[in-house]
Amino acid sequence: MKFLGINAIFHDPAAALVVDGRIVAAAEEERFSRRKHGKRPLAFSAWELPELAAAWCLREAGLSPEDIDAVAYSYDPSLVVQKPEGDWEDLRTKYAVRAPAFLATALPGLDPGQVSYVPHHVAHAASAGLAAPWRDCAVLVADGRGENVSHLAGRYRGGELEVLAAQKLPHSLGLMYEDVTEHLGFLRSSDEYKVMAMASYGRPRHLEALREVIYTTGDGGFRVEPVDWSVYAKALKKGAPWTSDHADLAASVQARLEEVLLELVRWLHERTGERRLALAGGVALNCVANTRLLDEGPFDEIWVQPAAGDSGTALGGALHLAQSYGEPAGPMPDAALGRGFTDEELGAWLDVARVPHTRPADLAAAVAAELAADRIVAWFQGRAEYGPRALGQRSLLAHPGHARNTERLNDVKGREQFRPIAPMVLESRAREIFGRGPVPSPYMLFVHDVHPDWAARIPAVVHVDGTARIQTISPREQPLMARVLSEFEARTGLPVVVNTSLNTAGRPMVDDPRDALECFGSSPVDVLVLGPYVVRRGEVFAS
């Protein structure tokens, strides 16, 4: 059977396809539309659907809309507590009620009667619990909001979800973090990771005060009382310089978030006795909190859905429907579920663009040589990543041994200088260099302590707090990137390469060859590797 999953109601619209028990494709709409996050999370944008992503998922599988057996829409308007007519939330609900008709219009031939509503947090839970590498586990979802709750705690047994707790709105850890994000001059529902990065520069001196207004209730839930953030730090306008007061507020909120999550997972462990925990929801993208949960929490293993935010509910909805129809799918093979291109297609793009290029006999050695020479490499390989992290498919690569490369890459991307860049390392070498976090760590969803004797050798990837958000590379799963790492070490003695997303500030990650060429042409990147082809800036502009 064929199941299409759709996320559209808030932000990060996405589509995913499950066919005959196999996850075939998943992608965010932003990769096609080139609008960051696909759309803003406003009630009057709720009608917008991931039309391009859904159409691509079908093409990838050679299907038409008529072939789909069922569609999961990851929001159930019947669960919404109705508000007075004219309220923006009422408009969002009306759009959700009409979603089947909207989908039939966007995908001609689709029967609107095939559309099923999957509760938002159930879809989140399925994206983790049914996609995880194990069949039985505890599951925790935390984000901004769903229909009427902001959190779900439960467990999966034999593919069936048992919900043990759910926190009613307006109490929300995700919305609380969004409020702080906006107060600090960043874009809410978008820039929360900047608050996490800023927190490392501050002291949690407001932690006691926040414990009074953000606290657990002992029954698997929590409370977030109204907070006047201006008591702790003056509100910042976008782009305004921040001070230690702002960093201290970020550090305090981050610390309290971690404490509350720890209390929630301890309660969940007591109720389930499970050894393994799967996490989803936007809060699960907080890699600092994830590491603390693993380090201090009761679970032996934690798996985080790489598309943990709302985009992941497209996959979760499809998995939930497949399970309910008796065709369980999963586990998730990896995050490379988006668009890919053949060598011939990539070469044709370069020919049409009249861009000089070469095809090295040993691509890994050629790229390692460029990196060893301290050149920045735009790396475009295989199928695009599903989720917000660059995982070796659409990446910017650089030498980690030069501290200036942190500032250099932030300049290339046009982003704040306090933000860290990440290391990529062979899985077999990770424990020599990085501690505390889990290994393997293929999705960049945990932070690791950098061993002191290595910190001075790879300063570009060490954050101010001595940590790094690593990605481990398995030669079995990513053989070409593994060879680049080995060749780079042979030249430099460093088994680590900088990996950050291939995009510039405010733009979605590069997805197709045109995006890659545009990014290369408009930013100070030295080398573009497009599949087997190498494009060098000097050769392009000399011609």
Side-chain angles (χ1 to χ4, degrees):
M1 296 183 72
K2 305 165 187 69
F3 303 95
L4 180 66
I6 297 290
N7 170 62
I9 197 71
F10 294 118
H11 51 82
D12 296 300
L17 185 65
V18 171
V19 177
D20 297 333
R22 185 170 65 91
I23 301 170
V24 172
E28 294 98 335
E29 184 74 358
E30 69 165 23
R31 301 297 188 92
F32 302 84
S33 70
R34 309 310 298 158
R35 294 168 61 196
K36 187 71 172 174
H37 296 295
K39 62 180 182 179
R40 294 303 301 140
L42 306 169
F44 46 81
S45 74
W47 65 271
E48 297 185 49
L49 296 168
E51 298 180 29
L52 300 173
W56 170 77
C57 284
L58 295 179
R59 289 198 305 273
E60 180 68 12
L63 301 175
S64 64
E66 295 91 338
D67 298 321
I68 297 299
D69 294 295
V71 179
Y73 184 85
S74 59
Y75 187 85
D76 186 346
S78 71
L79 300 177
V80 177
V81 176
Q82 295 300 317
K83 295 187 177 181
E85 186 76 20
D87 184 271
W88 285 127
E89 192 58 38
D90 178 68
L91 179 62
R92 194 194 307 271
T93 303
K94 286 180 177 178
Y95 283 144
V97 169
R98 289 163 173 76
F102 291 162
L103 282 163
T105 301
L107 300 171
L110 182 73
D111 179 359
Q114 293 175 313
V115 179
S116 296
Y117 294 113
V118 177
H120 188 70
H121 286 85
V122 171
H124 266 309
S127 80
L130 296 180
W134 344 282
R135 290 298 288 167
D136 295 339
C137 62
V139 62
L140 182 73
V141 175
D143 67 354
R145 54 158 302 177
E147 299 87 351
N148 58 3
V149 300
S150 69
H151 139 278
L152 178 152
R155 66 176 161 196
Y156 273 96
R157 285 284 178 89
E160 297 299 322
L161 173 64
E162 178 187 6
V163 178
L164 299 173
Q167 178 57 55
K168 294 282 189 181
L169 292 168
H171 304 285
S172 169
L173 297 174
L175 291 180
M176 177 272 296
Y177 213 90
E178 287 185 16
D179 288 344
V180 174
T181 299
E182 187 171 50
H183 186 77
L184 293 174
F186 305 125
L187 183 63
R188 68 182 303 137
S189 295
S190 174
D191 293 346
E192 283 69 31
Y193 55 91
K194 297 181 183 181
V195 177
M196 182 179 68
M198 183 184 285
S200 299
Y201 289 83
R203 296 180 297 110
R205 59 189 176 93
H206 307 301
L207 187 54
E208 280 300 327
L210 293 181
R211 285 172 177 156
E212 296 296 316
V213 291
I214 306 168
Y215 52 90
T216 56
T217 52
D219 58 358
F222 53 86
R223 295 290 182 271
V224 179
E225 307 296 349
V227 181
D228 181 1
W229 302 112
S230 63
V231 170
Y232 307 110
K234 182 180 178 181
L236 276 177
K237 293 184 178 179
K238 182 179 180 180
W242 54 277
T243 68
S244 60
D245 286 343
H246 300 102
D248 289 350
L249 174 57
S252 302
V253 169
Q254 175 67 29
R256 187 55 188 148
L257 174 71
E258 294 169 15
E259 289 180 343
V260 170
L261 290 174
L262 269 170
E263 292 174 32
L264 292 176
V265 300
R266 285 169 178 154
W267 178 90
L268 182 56
H269 183 264
E270 288 176 2
R271 289 293 305 273
T272 66
E274 297 285 352
R275 294 180 45 249
R276 294 161 167 160
L277 172 67
L279 294 177
V283 175
L285 292 172
N286 192 304
C287 54
V288 176
N290 293 344
T291 294
R292 189 167 177 190
L293 294 183
L294 182 63
D295 191 40
E296 300 179 29
F299 289 95
D300 296 333
E301 297 180 69
I302 296 178
W303 188 82
V304 185
Q305 159 63 255
D310 274 8
S311 65
T313 64
L315 176 61
L319 292 173
H320 178 80
L321 274 193
Q323 180 70 33
S324 68
Y325 275 76
E327 286 203 358
M332 188 172 178
D334 54 43
L337 294 170
R339 278 192 289 184
F341 301 85
T342 66
D343 292 351
E344 291 72 21
E345 289 171 327
L346 296 174
W349 271 97
L350 292 169
D351 291 340
V352 168
R354 298 181 182 178
V355 175
H357 55 277
T358 61
R359 185 170 184 165
D362 189 337
L363 181 64
V367 172
E370 298 287 354
L371 293 169
D374 202 24
R375 297 188 180 97
I376 295 175
V377 175
W379 177 263
F380 184 108
Q381 297 289 334
R383 296 180 66 176
E385 301 91 337
Y386 180 44
R389 306 284 192 250
L391 301 172
Q393 281 78 35
R394 307 289 187 269
S395 295
L396 283 171
L397 309 178
H399 196 307
H402 306 301
R404 67 178 182 276
N405 278 345
T406 306
E407 180 178 351
R408 188 178 169 202
L409 278 167
N410 281 332
D411 283 343
V412 166
K413 292 167 66 70
R415 65 184 202 173
E416 299 86 354
Q417 289 297 342
F418 65 81
R419 291 171 57 186
I421 53 178
M424 179 185 281
V425 61
L426 281 174
E427 184 180 310
S428 60
R429 304 296 303 280
R431 281 296 180 212
E432 301 173 36
I433 307 165
F434 305 103
R436 193 163 60 110
V439 172
S441 185
Y443 300 136
M444 279 191 180
L445 287 166
F446 296 85
V447 296
H448 294 65
D449 295 328
V450 184
H451 294 324
D453 53 335
W454 275 98
R457 299 181 64 187
I458 53 172
V461 297
V462 183
H463 197 31
V464 67
D465 60 0
T467 66
R469 186 185 68 197
I470 78 171
Q471 179 194 0
T472 57
I473 297 295
S474 162
R476 179 175 58 83
E477 295 169 357
Q478 291 181 275
L480 179 58
M481 182 54 72
R483 285 206 59 239
V484 170
L485 286 163
S486 296
E487 292 283 346
F488 182 74
E489 182 179 13
R491 289 163 172 76
T492 65
L494 302 176
V496 172
V497 166
V498 173
N499 172 28
T500 189
S501 57
L502 180 51
N503 66 332
T504 52
R507 298 294 303 272
M509 210 182 309
V510 159
D511 196 78
D512 74 8
R514 183 190 296 275
D515 304 334
L517 287 165
E518 288 178 350
C519 187
F520 177 69
S522 63
S523 59
V525 173
D526 301 302
V527 179
L528 169 64
V529 179
L530 200 65
Y533 305 104
V534 174
V535 181
R536 294 177 174 84
R537 177 165 295 277
E539 295 172 1
V540 170
F541 291 96
S543 64

